[in-house]
Amino acid sequence: MHPTQTKYEDMFILKVFIFQFVNFYSSPVYITFFKGRFVGYPGNYKTLFGVRNEDCGAGGCLIELAQELLVIMVGKQLINNIQEFIFPKAKSWWQKKKMHPQLKEKKDTAGEESQIEEDASPWEADYQLLVCEGLFSEYLEMVLQFGFITIFVAACPLAPLFALINNWVEIRLDAQKFVTEYRRPVVERAQDIGIWFPILQFITHTAVLSNAFLIAFTSSFVPRLYYRYTRDNTLSGFINFTLATSPQSYSQQHHNTSCRYQSFRDDKGEYLPEYFHLLAIRLSFVIIFEHVVFFIGRLIDMMVSDIPEEVEMKMKREHYMAKEALAENQSLGRTMIPGDKDILSDLRQRGSRVPQPGSDSHPLDLKEIPEETGPITSC
């Protein structure tokens, strides 16, 4: 029971967005931050409900995330565009079929009877169109797309390009849909886009932190830099540096055969000092990255004004003209509606100088009328 309709709509939009956020982003978030993190090592694998935790492929989790984003940004958006083109036409056809005008029969020259649909008036044809349900679904689609191309952009830099192509196509599809398939919506004034703006701000801040952790922990950017500046500048032997050897107990259980796995552990399964060095570097990178990005964002926000200078000057001039008009109306009201003592005394003095009948004097001297009042004409 919210106090206003706007507050109710904002809370409804927020709840739907949270639901869709969990629905759409749970899989990429799992691949980015959780898959392959709690696997363990040979001989001591971690399990969840008796099932061994899933590990990343040979190419790493970043490749899997890029493949999933390509499927979402290309395949899913293509399917959505096809649905937005076909579904309104199918609904409009079914709507017209249920509300079709009367049919009249007449015989043609061959004597056969044919049914010809009567020409409907424009308002009847418009009434047969679908009812416009607002722009909630359009806003939600664009906000979810914005989240995909910002939160995981480090894994798939081509995602914004596919989003741009999709939006260019969708603009034309939505124009055709709203003009030909839907009734003209009732115009309502709105101050802004409502709670969608705080949602976009939340996605923007989440995207900065997400990309920082993605670059630091999911990609091999930090380990490569560490190996380049501590071991070999040419990255020769980097693959062996990232691989650990299985413990001896595991090798004895499998006929004295050892295996390599991606981790920074020794022969006993304990973490090497390089692991803790990389952990500290990664956390430092996250802090520096998000501080730099937020600083650049604040700097751009300060440099670029929310309202253009030309529009701001016009707004100030409009406000000044409104104040001038209000002042003129107030002064005019004081002269037309006497309420002050000075005006009443002035009127009494003028009334005492009313000329007697037959005299040539006039209560108003034309010479005393200022020139700004213009010429005096008789009715």
Side-chain angles (χ1 to χ4, degrees):
M1 300 300 295
H2 298 284
T4 60
Q5 181 68 17
T6 302
K7 191 68 175 179
Y8 166 77
E9 293 176 356
D10 290 345
M11 293 300 102
F12 175 76
I13 291 172
L14 181 61
K15 292 175 184 177
V16 174
F17 170 75
I18 293 174
F19 177 78
Q20 297 291 354
F21 185 90
V22 176
N23 251 4
F24 282 95
Y25 298 142
S26 57
S27 178
V29 167
Y30 166 72
I31 295 175
T32 305
F33 303 112
F34 298 99
K35 187 176 182 181
R37 302 295 174 191
F38 311 100
V39 179
Y41 57 92
N44 188 20
Y45 288 112
K46 305 295 183 180
T47 59
L48 181 64
F49 302 111
V51 180
R52 177 179 166 181
N53 291 336
E54 188 179 10
D55 197 0
C56 297
C61 293
L62 198 64
I63 300 299
E64 297 182 16
L65 179 61
Q67 292 174 354
E68 181 166 357
L69 288 178
L70 285 176
V71 171
I72 292 174
M73 300 306 297
V74 178
K76 185 177 179 300
Q77 290 187 151
L78 182 62
I79 295 174
N80 287 342
N81 288 335
I82 294 175
Q83 290 178 350
E84 288 189 4
F85 178 76
I86 294 178
F87 285 177
K89 289 188 174 297
K91 291 181 181 178
S92 178
W93 173 79
W94 181 251
Q95 181 86 352
K96 291 179 181 179
K97 185 178 180 180
K98 291 193 301 183
M99 303 176 61
H100 68 283
Q102 296 180 353
L103 301 177
K104 62 179 182 180
E105 298 179 355
K106 73 174 185 179
K107 296 182 178 180
D108 53 7
T109 55
E112 298 177 354
E113 293 184 355
S114 61
Q115 291 183 342
I116 299 179
E117 186 176 352
E118 293 182 351
D119 295 334
S121 56
W123 51 88
E124 291 177 342
D126 292 341
Y127 184 73
Q128 294 176 4
L129 298 176
L130 299 175
V131 179
C132 183
E133 298 178 354
L135 300 176
F136 173 74
S137 60
E138 304 295 333
Y139 270 105
L140 183 62
E141 182 181 359
M142 289 295 101
V143 169
L144 292 175
Q145 183 196 78
F146 178 73
F148 277 116
I149 66 176
T150 54
I151 298 177
F152 311 103
V153 67
C156 185
L158 288 177
L161 175 63
F162 292 117
L164 177 64
I165 297 173
N166 170 79
N167 292 345
W168 179 74
V169 174
E170 190 169 0
I171 285 175
R172 307 314 309 164
L173 292 178
D174 288 343
Q176 192 270 342
K177 176 177 68 176
F178 283 107
V179 171
T180 61
E181 308 297 340
Y182 285 90
R183 300 178 192 172
R184 180 181 297 178
V186 178
V187 179
E188 294 182 3
R189 296 187 64 180
Q191 185 178 3
D192 48 26
I193 61 175
I195 200 173
W196 290 112
F197 186 70
I199 289 175
L200 290 173
Q201 287 181 324
F202 166 75
I203 292 177
T204 303
H205 290 78
T206 305
V208 175
L209 298 176
S210 173
N211 284 282
F213 279 97
L214 191 151
I215 296 172
F217 288 90
T218 306
S219 69
S220 60
F221 176 73
V222 175
R224 285 177 182 273
L225 286 180
Y226 178 79
Y227 186 83
R228 174 175 294 177
Y229 289 104
T230 57
R231 302 296 177 87
D232 191 354
N233 191 26
T234 62
L235 295 179
S236 178
F238 173 74
I239 301 298
N240 289 326
F241 171 73
T242 59
L243 297 178
T245 306
S246 60
Q248 296 179 359
S249 59
Y250 179 82
S251 302
Q252 293 174 0
Q253 294 176 2
H254 292 78
H255 307 287
N256 294 326
T257 58
S258 61
C259 63
R260 305 292 298 274
Y261 62 99
Q262 191 171 10
S263 183
F264 296 96
R265 297 176 183 269
D266 56 11
D267 296 340
K268 298 180 181 180
E270 301 294 334
Y271 284 114
L272 295 172
E274 287 79 0
Y275 170 80
F276 297 100
H277 296 166
L278 284 173
L279 181 61
I281 295 174
R282 283 168 170 168
L283 293 176
S284 302
F285 174 82
V286 169
I287 296 174
I288 295 174
F289 180 86
E290 59 95 9
H291 273 73
V292 170
V293 173
F294 283 136
F295 172 75
I296 295 175
R298 295 293 183 183
L299 186 63
I300 295 175
D301 190 16
M302 292 172 59
M303 293 174 58
V304 181
S305 60
D306 297 336
I307 303 175
E309 184 178 358
E310 182 181 358
V311 177
E312 188 174 3
M313 291 297 295
K314 290 183 178 180
M315 292 174 61
K316 290 181 178 179
R317 185 176 185 277
E318 182 179 357
H319 183 64
Y320 172 75
M321 297 297 292
K323 289 177 65 177
E324 289 289 326
L326 181 61
E328 291 181 0
N329 289 336
Q330 289 179 352
S331 63
L332 182 61
R334 289 175 181 175
T335 56
M336 296 297 294
I337 305 175
D340 297 337
K341 296 180 179 179
D342 296 338
I343 297 177
L344 291 176
S345 61
D346 188 20
L347 290 177
R348 291 193 186 99
Q349 292 177 2
R350 291 184 180 181
S352 63
R353 295 197 300 265
V354 176
Q356 298 297 328
S359 62
D360 296 335
S361 62
H362 196 274
L364 286 178
D365 191 359
L366 295 179
K367 295 181 181 179
E368 298 178 357
I369 299 177
E371 297 179 357
E372 287 80 7
T373 55
I376 298 178
T377 57
S378 59
C379 298

